[in-house]
Structures are given as C-alpha cells and as structure tokens.
C-alpha cells in the first residue's frame, strides 16, 4: 500500500469534506468555506494522502508569523487509520512549515482525543490548558520546537 502525500487540488475538496464529516462531530467540522478561507487568506498548506488515487487523509497548516507554524487540522479516513498515514501527513506538513521558516509549530487538541498520542510521539509537548476550547471540552496547546 503506497501512500503519496501531495498538495490538494480543487478536485480533492469533496473527498476532504467527506473525511471531515466522518472524523469530527457536528459543530466541530470545517466547512468548504473554512478550508477555502485558510487557503486564500492564511496562505495555508493543505496536503492530502492518497492510495491508488483515493484520498484517505489530509493535513492543514499555515504560518502564523515568520517563525511560527500552526497545524490547524488533520484527519485520516477511518478504515485507513493506525497505518502510519497520520504520521506521514504530520511529518509532511511539518517539513512544509519548516521550509517556510517555522522554528516552532503549535497545535490545539481536545484533552480526550487520542491524537495526543500521535503528537507526543512526534515530540509535541503540552504547554497550556485551554479551558472550554471546544465548547464544553477543554483543549490543550502543544508545541514542538526545531533547533
Ligand atoms: C489522529 C489521526 C489523524 C491519526 O491518524 P492515523 O493514520 O491513525 O495515525 P498513525 O497511524 O500515523 O499513528 C497512530 C499513532 O498515534 C496514536 N493514535 C492515533 N490515533 C489513535 C487512536 N484512535 N487510538 C490510539 N492511539 C492512536 C498511536 O499512538 C499511534 O502510534 P503507534 O503507531 O506508534 O502505535 C486519526 O486518528 C484521525 O483522523 N482521527 C480523527 C480526527 C482527529 O481527531 N484529528 C485530530 C484533531 S486535533
């Protein structure tokens, strides 16, 4: 199973939205207009993972300022999880942000989300609790610094 990571094209958006809908609860999903907002106004990087031309995951990030990258979201199609695709998407978006000058990358995650394990494995450290960040659930701010 060869996983390719590449920048998203306009044809990918419907697949990304379908992954979004099976990955996040209603009210926590990004709409097409939010993805487009990040791409247009934040000059975000939207990467997709594909297997045999099927989109199985995405990651979204942007440069918050000259040296700070921000990973906004990542999701992998349920049937393809725990195969290393999330790790690849994270590493690829980190590399893109680093190539744009990131010396530090931040992200937010819900306290009860298992994605924390993935981030910890990749070297992210919790630095702050974000009370009620997700409406009725706390979030945490995690960062990873590059030397
Ligand atoms: C988080 C997510 C993108 C991970 O994708 P993935 O392709 O399964 O990730 P990988 O296979 O590369 O890595 C899985 C690693 O993360 C951890 N992990 C990720 N999801 C996990 C889960 N549901 N349960 C337990 N551990 C999990 C494991 O420690 C695993 O590490 P290991 O391979 O050393 O055991 C995927 O679970 C997902 O789409 N979740 C729903 C959307 C979401 O919550 N996104 C994060 C928003 S902040």
């Amino acid at each position: 199973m060869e996983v390719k990571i590449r920048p998203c094209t306009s044809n990918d958006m419907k697949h990304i939205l379908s992954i979004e809908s099976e990955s996040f609860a209603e009210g926590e999903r990004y709409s097409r207009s939010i993805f487009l907002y990040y791409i247009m106004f934040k000059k975000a990087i939207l990467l997709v993972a594909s297997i045999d031309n099927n989109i199985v995951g995405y990651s979204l990030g942007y440069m918050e300022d000259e040296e700070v990258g921000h990973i906004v979201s990542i999701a992998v199609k349920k049937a393809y999880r725990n195969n290393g695709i999330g790790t690849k998407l994270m590493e690829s978006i980190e590399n893109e942000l680093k190539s744009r000058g990131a010396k530090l990358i931040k992200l937010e995650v819900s306290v009860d989300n298992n994605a924390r394990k993935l981030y910890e494995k990749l070297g992210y450290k919790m630095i702050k609790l974000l009370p009620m960040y997700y409406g009725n659930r706390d979030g945490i701010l995690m960062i990873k610094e590059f030397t």
Side-chain angles (χ1 to χ4, degrees), residues 23-24 73-76 80-88 108-109 113-115 117-119 121 134:
S23 299
F24 296 98
S73 189
I74 176 170
V76 171
Y80 291 86
R81 287 181 193 162
N82 292 311
N83 284 301
I85 299 170
T87 304
K88 275 197 175 172
E108 294 87 8
V109 61
N113 191 332
N114 274 321
K117 289 187 193 150
L118 171 62
Y119 304 145
K121 190 180 79 176
Y134 296 94

Side-chain angles (χ1 to χ4, degrees), residues 6-140:
R6 61 163 174 80
C8 135
T9 66
S10 52
N11 290 338
D12 300 326
M13 192 51 79
K14 59 179 180 297
H15 304 293
I16 291 173
L17 292 171
S18 148
I19 295 169
E20 188 71 3
S21 124
E22 67 164 39
S23 299
F24 296 98
E26 218 179 326
E28 292 183 9
R29 292 173 196 145
Y30 286 172
S31 61
R32 179 186 299 269
S33 47
I34 292 183
F35 280 106
L36 294 178
Y37 165 81
Y38 274 104
I39 292 167
M40 282 162 64
F41 296 107
K42 303 274 190 186
K43 298 187 171 44
I45 304 154
L46 179 55
L47 300 178
V48 291
S50 72
I51 298 174
D52 296 333
N53 289 325
N54 294 315
I55 305 301
V56 296
Y58 81 84
S59 55
L60 174 70
Y62 71 101
M63 290 301 289
E64 203 172 281
D65 67 32
E66 271 182 20
E67 297 190 344
V68 180
H70 196 151
I71 295 177
V72 178
S73 189
I74 176 170
V76 171
K77 216 169 177 172
K78 268 186 187 159
Y80 291 86
R81 287 181 193 162
N82 292 311
N83 284 301
I85 299 170
T87 304
K88 275 197 175 172
L89 280 164
M90 283 294 292
E91 288 170 347
S92 302
I93 199 131
E94 282 181 351
N95 287 336
E96 280 294 325
L97 292 168
K98 280 198 280 185
S99 77
R100 292 188 187 193
K103 297 199 165 47
L104 180 154
I105 296 180
K106 58 196 249 188
L107 56 82
E108 294 87 8
V109 61
S110 160
V111 281
D112 56 7
N113 191 332
N114 274 321
R116 274 176 75 171
K117 289 187 193 150
L118 171 62
Y119 304 145
E120 279 159 11
K121 190 180 79 176
L122 291 171
Y124 288 80
K125 307 253 181 282
M126 172 182 170
I127 57 157
K128 197 175 165 188
L129 184 71
L130 304 169
M132 300 299 149
Y133 187 78
Y134 296 94
N136 57 356
R137 282 177 297 123
D138 293 345
I140 56 171

